[in-house]
Amino acid sequence: MDPREFCVHIYWLFAELNSVLHPPTTSAVQSSNHRDLIAETPGIHDLVGVRLSPLRPPLDTAVEEIASDTENVAETANSQLQQIHDMLSVFDRTALPEEYGEDFEPVPTLERPQSLFVANNLAATVYRLAIHDDSVFRRLRQVITPDVCAYAHFTKLRERSRQAFTRLDRYVQNGPSDDPDSDGQDIPTCARALRLLVAHICQAHDLRTSSGPLSPNLETKVAEILVEILQEVCDRNEDVYHRIDWQREIPDEEPERNRNLYAYLIDDPPPSRGSTPTWMRETFIVDRLRRKPANEWRHLLERLTNILDQMREYASDEENPPTAYAKLDRMIQDYTAEAFEPSSSSFQRRPTLGVSGEGRSTSMQRRPTLGDQRESRRRRIG
């Protein structure tokens, strides 16, 4: 349609106005060229006050507003669906909110309430009811609060981190398997899984706090999970294949980090590339802890201090300690400097690696787990 042409309804409207203004010409309206007649008819523009063509922009604006409203409705519906997944996943022992309901059949269009019933599946039935009935959704939201959902979510993520260590232990004990159901994983696979879990924990925390704060108990729980994972990694500073009783083919030029989880994640992580995602480039867990307010992790200060002591004990080069050590040390130093008066007799600055002058530790030792065992392992395994 030519955009310069008026809609036919405009001509009808003109005909009605023209019949009032100029009754003798009413019959001419039906037989004359509409555009010419509008242009030649006196008084019509004075009556309308503006040209007819400017009426179109407001219509376009109205269409845009309707489209915006439609997008808002869709966004609200999507948010409500996410909340339903979040609430009902609380009752599933393993599924995370984004995984919940994957095995459910598509929700039908509501024709009658009975169509929402799913035989032998209460969870799927309630799921359908919550989607179609706002009153059911609101009542569920009153009972299953956001904090309840967050607690269940973080508990499952903590369990998955423990399972990652278990799968590594299973791989070390039994070796690789051709069984598709085997879930054992080597050091690089385990390390990647742990990094991904840490990123997931922190992303879930950020999303949940974007609409309001979590309870103090939940904030400390998140910090506890992160410190627990960090402690477990530090406790695994060893060559995991040193005592295996199965034949392992040692790859050529295998990096030592591929046999030591602590080395892979903290002491000597693989170099980053331009395409490496952020969650793979971060200093493992320590960067995440440093972003948290001290009140969320200060109850874990003793555990963090012990972890720092472990890192210092492992350090083979006091001039170049692991990045994680330097960052964690600074985090603890900053906190203790604020928590204690410098003049207090109980305040003592911790020796810092990599800083010349006073405060340098003189008894740095690395657990003898890699270099001194390499030859004996090659002789035994080969």
Side-chain angles (χ1 to χ4, degrees):
M1 177 180 180
D2 188 342
R4 296 172 296 179
E5 290 293 333
F6 298 134
C7 173
V8 292
H9 296 90
I10 296 297
Y11 297 119
W12 172 84
L13 177 61
F14 168 77
E16 295 298 315
L17 290 171
N18 192 59
S19 66
V20 175
L21 293 173
H22 307 285
T25 62
T26 303
S27 58
V29 170
Q30 299 177 359
S31 58
S32 302
N33 180 282
H34 292 289
R35 175 175 287 277
D36 295 338
L37 188 58
I38 290 176
E40 295 172 359
T41 301
I44 188 66
H45 294 304
D46 294 334
L47 179 65
V48 176
V50 293
R51 292 184 179 275
L52 297 178
S53 56
L55 293 176
R56 182 179 178 185
L59 292 176
D60 292 340
T61 303
V63 171
E64 292 175 1
E65 291 176 351
I66 293 173
S68 177
D69 291 341
T70 302
E71 291 176 359
N72 291 337
V73 170
E75 183 177 347
T76 300
N78 186 51
S79 174
Q80 183 166 317
L81 182 61
Q82 290 175 349
Q83 291 182 63
I84 292 171
H85 281 242
D86 198 27
M87 290 185 291
L88 297 185
S89 66
V90 168
F91 302 100
D92 192 297
R93 296 182 61 183
T94 59
L96 301 177
E98 60 270 26
E99 301 166 348
Y100 184 79
E102 290 180 343
D103 56 340
F104 290 169
E105 295 180 1
V107 179
T109 302
L110 182 60
E111 298 177 353
R112 53 194 181 91
Q114 292 81 356
S115 64
L116 302 179
F117 174 72
V118 182
N120 303 317
N121 196 331
L122 176 62
T125 302
V126 174
Y127 176 74
R128 291 181 171 189
L129 277 172
I131 289 176
H132 281 291
D133 193 326
D134 286 343
S135 63
V136 173
F137 168 78
R138 289 192 297 270
R139 184 55 59 89
L140 284 173
R141 184 77 284 178
Q142 291 173 351
V143 175
I144 311 171
T145 64
D147 274 1
V148 170
C149 296
Y151 182 88
H153 192 178
F154 292 129
T155 298
K156 293 172 187 176
L157 290 171
R158 166 182 262 168
E159 180 59 28
R160 291 197 179 189
S161 71
R162 293 171 176 172
Q163 291 172 359
F165 292 113
T166 300
R167 287 194 290 270
L168 173 60
D169 293 338
R170 188 175 297 123
Y171 181 88
V172 172
Q173 180 178 359
N174 303 322
S177 174
D178 295 331
D179 184 355
D181 295 330
S182 175
D183 61 354
Q185 55 189 19
D186 59 9
I187 292 286
T189 307
C190 178
R192 181 179 176 84
L194 288 172
R195 279 193 175 275
L196 190 58
L197 275 168
V198 169
H200 193 149
I201 291 168
C202 296
Q203 182 184 46
H205 172 271
D206 293 345
L207 287 173
R208 291 182 181 281
T209 55
S210 63
S211 58
L214 296 176
S215 68
N217 289 340
L218 279 170
E219 292 289 4
T220 56
K221 181 182 178 69
V222 173
E224 287 171 2
I225 295 172
L226 295 176
V227 173
E228 178 183 292
I229 296 172
L230 182 61
Q231 179 71 73
E232 185 70 22
V233 171
C234 288
D235 289 343
R236 290 169 177 265
N237 180 28
E238 61 179 355
D239 182 344
V240 297
Y241 302 123
H242 180 53
R243 298 183 180 87
I244 60 174
D245 56 7
W246 48 275
Q247 294 295 320
R248 178 175 182 263
E249 182 178 351
I250 302 177
D252 294 336
E253 300 181 358
E254 180 185 39
E256 290 188 354
R257 71 171 75 94
N258 285 16
R259 302 190 301 277
N260 184 317
L261 189 62
Y262 173 81
Y264 200 100
L265 287 171
I266 296 176
D267 190 41
D268 183 30
S272 299
R273 298 178 176 84
S275 59
T276 304
T278 302
W279 55 270
M280 286 289 288
R281 295 197 302 266
E282 291 180 330
T283 302
F284 185 65
I285 289 184
V286 177
D287 278 348
R288 298 287 185 166
L289 287 174
R290 294 175 72 217
R291 297 173 195 160
K292 288 184 166 295
N295 65 298
E296 294 179 15
W297 56 261
R298 63 187 175 191
H299 66 294
L300 302 166
L301 184 60
E302 183 176 355
R303 292 181 65 179
L304 288 170
T305 302
N306 291 336
I307 290 172
L308 192 65
D309 289 340
Q310 281 182 282
M311 291 182 181
R312 188 189 317 109
E313 178 187 348
Y314 298 156
S316 58
D317 183 357
E318 63 181 69
E319 293 295 336
N320 296 289
T323 302
Y325 175 91
K327 290 183 177 181
L328 183 59
D329 181 53
R330 175 51 56 195
M331 184 180 84
I332 294 176
Q333 292 285 359
D334 289 345
Y335 171 72
T336 53
E338 296 177 2
F340 301 97
E341 291 294 335
S343 59
S344 172
S345 59
S346 62
F347 179 84
Q348 182 178 1
R349 185 172 180 83
R350 174 176 299 278
T352 303
L353 295 184
V355 180
S356 60
E358 62 178 3
R360 182 187 301 175
S361 175
T362 58
S363 58
M364 302 302 141
Q365 297 182 12
R366 182 180 181 83
R367 183 179 295 176
T369 56
L370 294 178
D372 58 344
Q373 298 168 354
R374 192 177 184 89
E375 288 302 319
S376 61
R377 187 181 67 255
R378 285 185 180 279
R379 289 195 298 269
R380 182 169 54 80
I381 296 178

